[in-house]
Short mmCIF file of all heavy atoms in Angstrom, two decimals:
data_model
loop_
_atom_site.label_atom_id
_atom_site.label_comp_id
_atom_site.label_asym_id
_atom_site.label_seq_id
_atom_site.Cartn_x
_atom_site.Cartn_y
_atom_site.Cartn_z
N HIS A 336 126.91 198.79 157.83
CA HIS A 336 126.09 200.05 157.46
C HIS A 336 126.00 200.86 158.72
O HIS A 336 124.90 200.91 159.31
CB HIS A 336 124.79 199.59 156.94
CG HIS A 336 124.82 198.74 155.62
ND1 HIS A 336 124.83 199.35 154.41
CD2 HIS A 336 124.88 197.41 155.47
CE1 HIS A 336 124.90 198.42 153.50
NE2 HIS A 336 124.91 197.26 154.08
N PRO A 337 127.02 201.59 159.11
CA PRO A 337 126.96 202.40 160.33
C PRO A 337 125.95 203.52 160.20
O PRO A 337 125.66 204.06 159.10
CB PRO A 337 128.36 202.91 160.50
CG PRO A 337 128.90 202.92 159.11
CD PRO A 337 128.30 201.75 158.41
N THR A 338 125.34 203.89 161.32
CA THR A 338 124.40 204.98 161.33
C THR A 338 125.19 206.30 161.25
O THR A 338 126.39 206.35 161.34
CB THR A 338 123.57 204.95 162.65
OG1 THR A 338 124.50 205.21 163.74
CG2 THR A 338 122.90 203.62 162.86
N SER A 339 124.42 207.41 161.05
CA SER A 339 125.01 208.70 160.92
C SER A 339 125.79 209.06 162.20
O SER A 339 126.86 209.73 162.15
CB SER A 339 123.96 209.75 160.61
OG SER A 339 122.95 209.77 161.60
N HIS A 340 125.21 208.67 163.36
CA HIS A 340 125.86 208.97 164.64
C HIS A 340 127.23 208.19 164.71
O HIS A 340 128.18 208.73 165.19
CB HIS A 340 125.03 208.54 165.83
CG HIS A 340 125.58 208.74 167.22
ND1 HIS A 340 125.77 210.02 167.73
CD2 HIS A 340 126.05 207.87 168.06
CE1 HIS A 340 126.32 209.89 168.89
NE2 HIS A 340 126.53 208.57 169.14
N GLU A 341 127.16 206.93 164.27
CA GLU A 341 128.42 206.08 164.31
C GLU A 341 129.48 206.62 163.37
O GLU A 341 130.61 206.67 163.62
CB GLU A 341 128.07 204.65 163.97
CG GLU A 341 127.27 203.94 165.07
CD GLU A 341 126.79 202.58 164.60
OE1 GLU A 341 126.54 202.33 163.38
OE2 GLU A 341 126.65 201.71 165.44
N ILE A 342 129.00 207.16 162.17
CA ILE A 342 129.89 207.71 161.16
C ILE A 342 130.56 208.97 161.79
O ILE A 342 131.79 209.19 161.58
CB ILE A 342 129.18 208.04 159.89
CG1 ILE A 342 128.81 206.74 159.18
CG2 ILE A 342 130.00 208.94 159.00
CD1 ILE A 342 128.01 206.99 157.96
N TYR A 343 129.81 209.74 162.50
CA TYR A 343 130.39 211.02 163.08
C TYR A 343 131.46 210.66 164.10
O TYR A 343 132.54 211.23 164.13
CB TYR A 343 129.19 211.71 163.77
CG TYR A 343 129.72 212.98 164.52
CD1 TYR A 343 129.98 214.20 163.83
CD2 TYR A 343 129.88 212.92 165.88
CE1 TYR A 343 130.43 215.29 164.57
CE2 TYR A 343 130.30 214.06 166.63
CZ TYR A 343 130.50 215.29 165.91
OH TYR A 343 131.00 216.37 166.63
N GLY A 344 131.15 209.56 164.95
CA GLY A 344 132.11 209.16 165.95
C GLY A 344 133.42 208.64 165.33
O GLY A 344 134.55 208.87 165.75
N LEU A 345 133.26 207.83 164.26
CA LEU A 345 134.36 207.22 163.55
C LEU A 345 135.21 208.27 162.83
O LEU A 345 136.46 208.21 162.77
CB LEU A 345 133.88 206.15 162.52
CG LEU A 345 133.33 204.88 163.09
CD1 LEU A 345 132.65 204.06 162.01
CD2 LEU A 345 134.47 204.08 163.73
N ALA A 346 134.55 209.32 162.33
CA ALA A 346 135.26 210.43 161.66
C ALA A 346 136.15 211.17 162.71
O ALA A 346 137.27 211.55 162.42
CB ALA A 346 134.29 211.39 161.06
N LYS A 347 135.65 211.34 163.95
CA LYS A 347 136.39 212.00 164.92
C LYS A 347 137.62 211.20 165.35
O LYS A 347 138.76 211.70 165.55
CB LYS A 347 135.47 212.32 166.17
CG LYS A 347 134.46 213.43 165.92
CD LYS A 347 135.07 214.72 165.73
CE LYS A 347 134.01 215.88 165.68
NZ LYS A 347 134.60 217.18 165.40
N LYS A 348 137.37 209.91 165.52
CA LYS A 348 138.42 209.00 165.99
C LYS A 348 139.55 208.81 164.92
O LYS A 348 140.74 208.66 165.30
CB LYS A 348 137.92 207.62 166.42
CG LYS A 348 136.92 207.67 167.61
CD LYS A 348 136.44 206.29 167.89
CE LYS A 348 135.55 206.27 169.16
NZ LYS A 348 134.96 204.91 169.38
N SER A 349 139.15 208.79 163.65
CA SER A 349 140.08 208.50 162.59
C SER A 349 140.70 209.81 161.97
O SER A 349 141.49 209.69 161.04
CB SER A 349 139.42 207.62 161.53
OG SER A 349 138.28 208.27 161.00
N ASN A 350 140.17 210.98 162.42
CA ASN A 350 140.60 212.21 161.88
C ASN A 350 140.33 212.30 160.42
O ASN A 350 141.16 212.81 159.56
CB ASN A 350 142.15 212.42 162.12
CG ASN A 350 142.52 213.90 161.99
OD1 ASN A 350 141.68 214.80 162.13
ND2 ASN A 350 143.78 214.11 161.69
N LEU A 351 139.11 211.82 159.93
CA LEU A 351 138.67 211.91 158.58
C LEU A 351 137.33 212.73 158.58
O LEU A 351 136.74 212.93 159.57
CB LEU A 351 138.45 210.50 158.01
CG LEU A 351 139.68 209.54 157.90
CD1 LEU A 351 139.17 208.24 157.50
CD2 LEU A 351 140.68 210.13 156.89
N THR A 352 136.92 213.07 157.35
CA THR A 352 135.69 213.73 157.29
C THR A 352 134.59 212.63 157.30
O THR A 352 134.80 211.44 157.05
CB THR A 352 135.52 214.54 156.01
OG1 THR A 352 135.54 213.64 154.84
CG2 THR A 352 136.67 215.54 155.84
N GLU A 353 133.35 213.00 157.54
CA GLU A 353 132.20 212.10 157.49
C GLU A 353 132.08 211.56 156.13
O GLU A 353 131.67 210.35 155.91
CB GLU A 353 130.94 212.72 158.03
CG GLU A 353 130.97 213.07 159.47
CD GLU A 353 129.73 213.79 159.93
OE1 GLU A 353 128.63 213.33 159.54
OE2 GLU A 353 129.86 214.80 160.66
N LEU A 354 132.33 212.40 155.05
CA LEU A 354 132.18 211.94 153.71
C LEU A 354 133.23 210.84 153.36
O LEU A 354 132.89 209.92 152.69
CB LEU A 354 132.31 213.13 152.73
CG LEU A 354 131.22 214.09 152.59
CD1 LEU A 354 131.57 215.26 151.69
CD2 LEU A 354 130.01 213.43 152.04
N GLN A 355 134.37 211.04 153.90
CA GLN A 355 135.41 210.06 153.61
C GLN A 355 135.14 208.71 154.34
O GLN A 355 135.38 207.64 153.75
CB GLN A 355 136.77 210.62 154.15
CG GLN A 355 137.39 211.64 153.23
CD GLN A 355 138.64 212.30 153.80
OE1 GLN A 355 138.71 212.64 155.03
NE2 GLN A 355 139.67 212.41 152.99
N VAL A 356 134.56 208.79 155.59
CA VAL A 356 134.17 207.50 156.23
C VAL A 356 133.03 206.81 155.50
O VAL A 356 133.05 205.63 155.29
CB VAL A 356 133.74 207.87 157.68
CG1 VAL A 356 133.16 206.61 158.38
CG2 VAL A 356 134.87 208.38 158.45
N GLU A 357 132.02 207.58 155.05
CA GLU A 357 130.92 206.97 154.27
C GLU A 357 131.49 206.32 152.96
O GLU A 357 131.11 205.26 152.67
CB GLU A 357 129.96 208.13 153.87
CG GLU A 357 129.09 208.58 155.08
CD GLU A 357 128.15 209.64 154.69
OE1 GLU A 357 128.19 210.06 153.51
OE2 GLU A 357 127.38 210.08 155.55
N ARG A 358 132.42 207.01 152.37
CA ARG A 358 133.01 206.46 151.04
C ARG A 358 133.78 205.27 151.40
O ARG A 358 133.70 204.27 150.63
CB ARG A 358 133.88 207.51 150.45
CG ARG A 358 134.50 207.06 149.12
CD ARG A 358 135.31 208.20 148.51
NE ARG A 358 136.40 208.61 149.44
CZ ARG A 358 137.11 209.74 149.26
NH1 ARG A 358 136.93 210.56 148.24
NH2 ARG A 358 138.10 210.03 150.10
N TRP A 359 134.52 205.22 152.47
CA TRP A 359 135.33 204.05 152.81
C TRP A 359 134.44 202.86 153.02
O TRP A 359 134.70 201.78 152.53
CB TRP A 359 136.12 204.32 154.15
CG TRP A 359 137.12 203.22 154.44
CD1 TRP A 359 138.39 203.19 154.09
CD2 TRP A 359 136.81 201.98 155.19
NE1 TRP A 359 138.99 202.04 154.53
CE2 TRP A 359 138.00 201.26 155.19
CE3 TRP A 359 135.68 201.50 155.73
CZ2 TRP A 359 138.13 200.03 155.80
CZ3 TRP A 359 135.82 200.24 156.34
CH2 TRP A 359 136.99 199.52 156.33
N PHE A 360 133.31 203.00 153.74
CA PHE A 360 132.45 201.89 154.02
C PHE A 360 131.70 201.49 152.70
O PHE A 360 131.50 200.22 152.49
CB PHE A 360 131.32 202.29 155.04
CG PHE A 360 131.79 202.09 156.48
CD1 PHE A 360 132.50 203.03 157.21
CD2 PHE A 360 131.56 200.83 157.06
CE1 PHE A 360 132.88 202.81 158.45
CE2 PHE A 360 132.00 200.57 158.39
CZ PHE A 360 132.64 201.60 159.05
N ARG A 361 131.43 202.41 151.86
CA ARG A 361 130.77 202.01 150.57
C ARG A 361 131.75 201.24 149.73
O ARG A 361 131.31 200.20 149.20
CB ARG A 361 130.35 203.31 149.80
CG ARG A 361 129.69 203.00 148.51
CD ARG A 361 128.99 204.23 147.91
NE ARG A 361 129.97 205.30 147.58
CZ ARG A 361 130.05 206.47 148.31
NH1 ARG A 361 129.27 206.65 149.31
NH2 ARG A 361 130.93 207.38 147.91
N ARG A 362 132.98 201.63 149.62
CA ARG A 362 133.97 200.89 148.87
C ARG A 362 134.27 199.51 149.53
O ARG A 362 134.45 198.53 148.80
CB ARG A 362 135.33 201.73 148.77
CG ARG A 362 135.16 202.90 147.87
CD ARG A 362 136.49 203.66 147.83
NE ARG A 362 136.47 204.76 146.86
CZ ARG A 362 137.45 205.62 146.69
NH1 ARG A 362 138.61 205.40 147.36
NH2 ARG A 362 137.36 206.63 145.79
N ARG A 363 134.32 199.52 150.85
CA ARG A 363 134.59 198.21 151.55
C ARG A 363 133.46 197.26 151.31
O ARG A 363 133.67 196.01 151.16
CB ARG A 363 134.78 198.52 153.02
CG ARG A 363 135.18 197.34 153.86
CD ARG A 363 136.51 196.80 153.38
NE ARG A 363 136.90 195.62 154.19
CZ ARG A 363 136.48 194.37 153.86
NH1 ARG A 363 135.67 194.19 152.83
NH2 ARG A 363 136.84 193.35 154.62
N ARG A 364 132.22 197.72 151.34
CA ARG A 364 131.06 196.88 151.12
C ARG A 364 131.17 196.31 149.64
O ARG A 364 130.86 195.13 149.41
CB ARG A 364 129.77 197.57 151.30
CG ARG A 364 129.44 197.81 152.78
CD ARG A 364 128.02 198.27 152.96
NE ARG A 364 127.74 199.53 152.30
CZ ARG A 364 127.82 200.73 152.92
NH1 ARG A 364 128.16 200.79 154.22
NH2 ARG A 364 127.50 201.86 152.31
N ASN A 365 131.46 197.13 148.71
CA ASN A 365 131.60 196.75 147.31
C ASN A 365 132.70 195.65 147.11
O ASN A 365 132.54 194.82 146.17
CB ASN A 365 131.83 197.89 146.41
CG ASN A 365 130.57 198.64 146.11
OD1 ASN A 365 129.44 198.12 146.23
ND2 ASN A 365 130.67 199.97 145.74
#
Side-chain angles (χ1 to χ4, degrees):
H336 297 271
T338 64
S339 57
H340 178 72
E341 291 172 330
I342 290 176
Y343 176 80
L345 289 169
K347 290 293 185 183
K348 292 179 181 179
S349 59
N350 198 24
L351 298 172
T352 68
E353 293 178 44
L354 285 175
Q355 287 175 312
V356 174
E357 290 178 355
R358 180 177 61 192
W359 188 94
F360 273 90
R361 182 168 61 251
R362 289 180 176 177
R363 184 64 181 83
R364 288 193 295 267
N365 280 339

